[in-house]
Amino acid sequence: MDKQHYKFSTKTVDCYFDAVFSFLEKLVSKEKAVIITDDNIASIYAEKFTGWKVIAIKPGEKNKQQSTVDHVINQLIKIQADRETFIIGIGGGVITDIAGYTASVYMRGVKFAFVPTSILAMVDAAIGGKNGVDVGMYKNLVGVIRHSEFLLYDYSFLKTLPQEEWINGFAEIIKHACIKDEKLFERLENNSLENFRESPEKIADLIKRNVEIKYKVVSNDEFEAGERKLLNFGHTLGHAIENIYQLPHGNAVSIGMVAACKISEEMNDFPTVDSERVIDLLKKYNLPVTLPFGESRRGAVWEVLLMDKKKSGDAINFILLNKIGDAIVKPVSLHQLKDLINQVL
Amino acid sequence: MDKQHYKFSTKTVDCYFDAVFSFLEKLVSKEKAVIITDDNIASIYAEKFTGWKVIAIKPGEKNKQQSTVDHVINQLIKIQADRETFIIGIGGGVITDIAGYTASVYMRGVKFAFVPTSILAMVDAAIGGKNGVDVGMYKNLVGVIRHSEFLLYDYSFLKTLPQEEWINGFAEIIKHACIKDEKLFERLENNSLENFRESPEKIADLIKRNVEIKYKVVSNDEFEAGERKLLNFGHTLGHAIENIYQLPHGNAVSIGMVAACKISEEMNDFPTVDSERVIDLLKKYNLPVTLPFGESRRGAVWEVLLMDKKKSGDAINFILLNKIGDAIVKPVSLHQLKDLINQVL
């Protein structure tokens, strides 16, 4: 096990890499803990969870809504959870978002921690304190920023992670490489999903590097005044299409990154050859680079964009690439954006 | 107008006493502001609100539930409220709780301020950053602690405040006197509700004094590790009976304070003669000192108590009086409390 501390303004988060699940008992009293997970994980790992109080919710982004939070709160009341209760979110990004948000508002805030079980949660969702729920089509429209007490990484959970979830997670890894780490980009080019999936050392090393990228960006700018916005690369259009087209998050972000590369070419002199490298890398990791065929829903995409949290007055702060490994925030007027969307989507 | 600053760890709250509503335009751009109020206030003060965006909700504690927050969020989406939106809660305690909570979670937090229009909101609910909603019978079970940008006190709103709401508000004023201010207690004994209601100077002075008591307690202990708990005097049993007996908050707290005085006699050598002074004062201000007749619902009261946020393991932190103007926190075991409730309720 490899213990690291990540310091934020209000809290130091302990991070246990290469840990085993059973170590959780050393960190939290079983008596006070309540695990929040999804039905899949609860059933696959029923044995691991023996002796722990467990609230299992339906899996999937479409359940990341207030009604699920209401349900979890009613379950917490049922088991008489109090201010001393310690919530542990065990799962992917939907679970860490729901568990962190519920813990932040239950009795005006109880302690919580995460055991991320998907690549996406390990390298992204579990880190940085953002939590919350979607409101209908609108991604993460409601939530707070509050840090977990600790993160426990047990890579053995990845053994049961479906292939599509591996693919999803790599969208955020490629995003990190695009905005911050050219060397990582090259490493990804020189490997494949299978290489990482088959090598416990390689995946452990990759996850830790990505945690460090995310942590560094977030700790420099916890309340998203500047640098943290870069993490939204591919997410502005990604979020807009995710719920409308019912795409997995990583797939939507992948298509969003391709669009952001093209907009970077138009507005930021990003070289076409580098756009092509990004597209090739996404394809290499089995990520989609164009919207699925079918009825165009540009109108709906536009409606959702108007509610984007990054919108400020008549412009949206868009993340563009200068070069691979180097990104900037540029306000793009809604007018301009409408034209660009018609070109790139 | 009399401007004061109240400093908390994360924010300085500006407080405009003796202000007029129209001053609001100087503090917030009408363009960015969204007023959250209730149907009563929206209709009585329709003229004042001309040119402001207004979301009006149904009045009353029974609507202080998540479903109302969901409704407000949908209204905010409809008017394309973004991160620059400034929410202004105008109303009593239900409105300040709902508006503060919604603002704290919408887009992970937008700015907000209050114009409290009831005595209770002016001296209590609008101050200290606590916000949230009830969950069924359970008072304030969900919420966060986050401070408003400013408070604007326009006492002319009190002209339309119903008598029962005046009475309600005085429960919190008497509470402040009981736990912190013997001189205030005496002033209340030497006056009457009518005296205060009829004299703009007297009520302005009384409100400011109460704001200062609450501010001082909260700023000494924002996250309720110690002194702030004292503000819960009368509220442990008060909250338990409020939603079960459908009592106005002040009425429930009044009965709760009588019970807390009796428990203080039993457990804390609080003089019986002082209990009688408290009871007499509550009666003088038309507050109830016993539960309404009818079916006893002690069982339900007990169920709600078990979910009290002040519960910690097998005990509840109960607020007891040493003498008038001086209170302490004492853990009372659930076992002991059950006996005491049978005696005092």
Side-chain angles (χ1 to χ4, degrees):
Chain A
M1 199 175 67
D2 166 16
K3 182 177 176 184
Q4 301 287 331
H5 304 284
Y6 293 121
K7 281 189 189 163
F8 298 99
S9 65
T10 53
K11 186 164 287 170
T12 296
V13 178
D14 295 327
C15 211
Y16 301 91
F17 292 105
D18 247 327
V20 287
F21 178 78
S22 59
F23 188 67
L24 197 59
E25 286 187 54
K26 301 263 192 301
L27 301 171
V28 196
S29 107
K30 266 192 178 175
E31 197 60 40
K32 290 185 175 174
V34 176
I35 288 173
I36 297 178
T37 189
D38 68 31
D39 290 338
N40 293 340
I41 294 168
S43 104
I44 297 173
Y45 296 104
E47 209 169 316
K48 268 194 202 305
F49 299 162
T50 311
W52 295 86
K53 288 189 271 292
V54 175
I55 298 174
I57 63 173
K58 292 204 186 81
E61 181 77 25
K62 67 177 184 299
N63 297 304
K64 208 178 89 176
Q65 298 276 340
Q66 183 63 42
S67 54
T68 304
V69 175
D70 295 344
H71 168 75
V72 173
I73 285 169
N74 284 322
Q75 296 294 311
L76 288 169
I77 292 173
K78 223 179 210 168
I79 56 183
Q80 295 185 6
D82 64 20
R83 273 185 177 161
E84 309 286 312
T85 295
F86 197 117
I87 286 177
I88 302 159
I90 304 183
V94 170
I95 289 297
T96 58
D97 270 15
I98 291 261
Y101 184 47
T102 306
S104 297
V105 301
Y106 186 72
M107 295 206 169
R108 295 202 189 94
V110 297
K111 287 184 178 176
F112 64 100
F114 297 136
V115 181
T117 62
S118 71
I119 298 284
L120 193 144
M122 288 184 185
V123 302
D124 185 15
I127 310 152
K130 282 190 183 176
N131 59 46
V133 292
D134 304 341
V135 179
M137 285 298 120
Y138 304 109
K139 283 277 299 176
N140 306 326
L141 195 88
V142 159
V144 299
I145 296 184
R146 191 158 169 267
H147 293 285
S148 62
E149 300 297 316
F150 64 81
L151 298 171
L152 186 150
Y153 284 81
D154 176 348
Y155 303 124
S156 75
F157 280 105
L158 295 175
K159 283 184 202 147
T160 60
L161 190 70
Q163 170 77 353
E164 70 209 57
E165 287 304 325
W166 277 83
I167 295 170
N168 247 323
F170 270 76
E172 299 293 354
I173 291 173
I174 293 171
K175 178 194 78 179
H176 285 154
C178 284
I179 62 168
K180 278 288 167 189
D181 194 338
E182 197 185 353
K183 287 263 178 305
L184 173 60
F185 195 95
E186 287 163 7
R187 204 209 295 179
L188 292 166
E189 286 181 319
N190 297 330
N191 277 283
S192 69
L193 194 57
E194 283 60 43
N195 290 159
F196 289 111
R197 212 172 157 170
E198 282 158 17
S199 162
E201 292 72 32
K202 272 194 175 177
I203 192 70
D205 185 59
L206 184 72
I207 286 168
K208 200 172 166 197
R209 180 146 178 183
N210 275 274
V211 171
E212 273 159 7
I213 292 171
K214 172 133 191 198
Y215 164 69
K216 211 172 151 196
V217 173
V218 173
S219 64
N220 282 341
D221 173 30
E222 270 183 76
F223 300 101
E224 204 163 319
E227 189 180 349
R228 186 168 187 170
K229 291 185 207 284
L230 301 183
L231 295 170
N232 291 317
F233 178 61
H235 281 63
T236 307
L237 281 166
H239 278 170
I241 61 177
E242 179 173 349
N243 285 352
I244 290 172
Y245 288 87
Q246 294 275 302
L247 293 171
H249 181 69
N251 283 248
V253 168
S254 178
I255 297 164
M257 286 194 280
V258 174
C261 282
K262 289 181 184 163
I263 296 174
S264 300
E265 287 179 45
E266 289 279 327
M267 292 187 58
N268 205 37
D269 296 326
F270 182 60
T272 306
V273 50
D274 283 343
S275 263
E276 277 158 16
R277 273 180 78 194
V278 175
I279 292 170
D280 287 344
L281 188 63
L282 293 167
K283 283 183 181 165
K284 181 169 194 184
Y285 285 83
N286 295 316
L287 284 157
V289 295
T290 52
L291 276 174
F293 287 111
E295 175 207 2
S296 165
R297 297 185 206 158
R298 274 190 202 142
V301 170
W302 184 247
E303 287 303 307
V304 172
L305 270 182
L306 290 179
M307 282 306 299
D308 192 282
K309 293 196 291 301
K310 293 170 285 298
K311 178 170 152 283
S312 165
D314 290 331
I316 288 188
N317 284 315
F318 220 88
I319 318 307
L320 303 176
L321 295 184
N322 296 318
K323 60 186 189 68
I324 285 170
D326 185 17
I328 52 158
V329 184
K330 262 199 184 168
V332 177
S333 76
L334 293 179
H335 179 74
Q336 213 170 359
L337 191 60
K338 202 161 188 173
D339 286 347
L340 288 164
I341 287 174
N342 289 335
Q343 285 172 46
V344 300
L345 268 194
Chain B
M1 198 175 67
D2 165 17
K3 181 178 177 183
Q4 301 286 331
H5 304 283
Y6 293 120
K7 281 189 190 164
F8 299 98
S9 65
T10 52
K11 185 165 286 170
T12 296
V13 178
D14 295 328
C15 210
Y16 301 91
F17 291 106
D18 247 327
V20 288
F21 178 78
S22 59
F23 187 68
L24 197 58
E25 288 186 55
K26 302 263 193 300
L27 301 171
V28 196
S29 108
K30 267 191 178 176
E31 197 60 38
K32 289 185 177 174
V34 176
I35 288 173
I36 297 178
T37 188
D38 69 31
D39 290 339
N40 293 341
I41 294 169
S43 104
I44 299 173
Y45 297 104
E47 210 169 315
K48 268 195 206 302
F49 299 161
T50 311
W52 296 87
K53 287 188 273 292
V54 176
I55 297 173
I57 62 173
K58 293 205 185 81
E61 181 78 25
K62 70 177 181 299
N63 297 303
K64 207 178 90 176
Q65 299 276 341
Q66 182 64 42
S67 54
T68 304
V69 175
D70 295 344
H71 168 75
V72 173
I73 285 168
N74 284 322
Q75 296 295 310
L76 288 170
I77 292 173
K78 223 180 209 168
I79 56 184
Q80 294 185 6
D82 64 21
R83 275 186 175 161
E84 308 286 312
T85 294
F86 197 116
I87 286 178
I88 303 159
I90 304 183
V94 171
I95 289 297
T96 57
D97 271 14
I98 291 262
Y101 184 47
T102 306
S104 297
V105 300
Y106 185 71
M107 295 206 169
R108 296 203 189 92
V110 298
K111 287 185 176 175
F112 64 98
F114 297 137
V115 180
T117 62
S118 71
I119 298 283
L120 193 143
M122 287 184 185
V123 302
D124 186 15
I127 309 153
K130 281 189 183 176
N131 59 46
V133 293
D134 305 340
V135 179
M137 286 296 121
Y138 306 109
K139 284 277 299 176
N140 305 327
L141 194 89
V142 158
V144 299
I145 297 185
R146 190 158 171 266
H147 293 286
S148 62
E149 300 296 316
F150 64 82
L151 298 171
L152 187 150
Y153 284 82
D154 176 348
Y155 302 124
S156 74
F157 280 106
L158 295 174
K159 283 183 200 148
T160 59
L161 189 71
Q163 170 75 354
E164 71 210 56
E165 288 302 326
W166 276 83
I167 295 169
N168 248 323
F170 270 77
E172 300 292 354
I173 291 173
I174 293 170
K175 178 194 80 179
H176 285 155
C178 284
I179 62 168
K180 277 288 167 187
D181 195 339
E182 196 185 356
K183 286 264 176 308
L184 173 60
F185 195 95
E186 286 163 8
R187 205 209 295 181
L188 292 166
E189 286 182 318
N190 297 330
N191 276 282
S192 69
L193 194 57
E194 284 60 43
N195 291 158
F196 288 110
R197 210 173 158 168
E198 282 158 16
S199 162
E201 292 73 31
K202 272 194 175 177
I203 192 69
D205 186 58
L206 184 72
I207 286 168
K208 199 172 166 196
R209 179 147 178 181
N210 276 274
V211 171
E212 274 159 5
I213 292 171
K214 172 130 191 199
Y215 164 68
K216 211 173 151 194
V217 173
V218 173
S219 63
N220 283 340
D221 174 29
E222 272 182 75
F223 300 100
E224 203 161 324
E227 188 179 350
R228 186 168 187 169
K229 292 186 208 281
L230 300 182
L231 295 170
N232 291 317
F233 178 61
H235 281 62
T236 306
L237 281 166
H239 277 170
I241 61 177
E242 178 173 349
N243 285 353
I244 290 173
Y245 288 87
Q246 293 275 302
L247 293 172
H249 180 69
N251 283 243
V253 168
S254 178
I255 296 163
M257 286 194 282
V258 174
C261 282
K262 289 180 183 163
I263 296 174
S264 301
E265 287 179 44
E266 289 279 327
M267 292 189 57
N268 205 36
D269 295 328
F270 182 59
T272 306
V273 50
D274 283 343
S275 263
E276 277 159 13
R277 271 180 79 193
V278 175
I279 292 170
D280 287 344
L281 188 63
L282 292 167
K283 283 183 179 163
K284 181 168 194 185
Y285 285 82
N286 296 315
L287 283 157
V289 294
T290 52
L291 275 174
F293 286 110
E295 174 207 2
S296 165
R297 297 184 207 161
R298 272 189 205 145
V301 170
W302 183 247
E303 288 301 308
V304 172
L305 269 182
L306 290 180
M307 282 307 299
D308 192 283
K309 291 195 292 303
K310 293 170 285 297
K311 177 169 154 282
S312 164
D314 291 331
I316 288 188
N317 284 315
F318 221 88
I319 317 307
L320 302 176
L321 295 183
N322 296 319
K323 61 186 190 68
I324 285 170
D326 185 17
I328 51 156
V329 186
K330 261 199 185 169
V332 178
S333 76
L334 293 179
H335 179 76
Q336 214 171 0
L337 191 61
K338 201 160 189 176
D339 285 347
L340 287 164
I341 286 173
N342 289 335
Q343 284 173 46
V344 302
L345 268 196

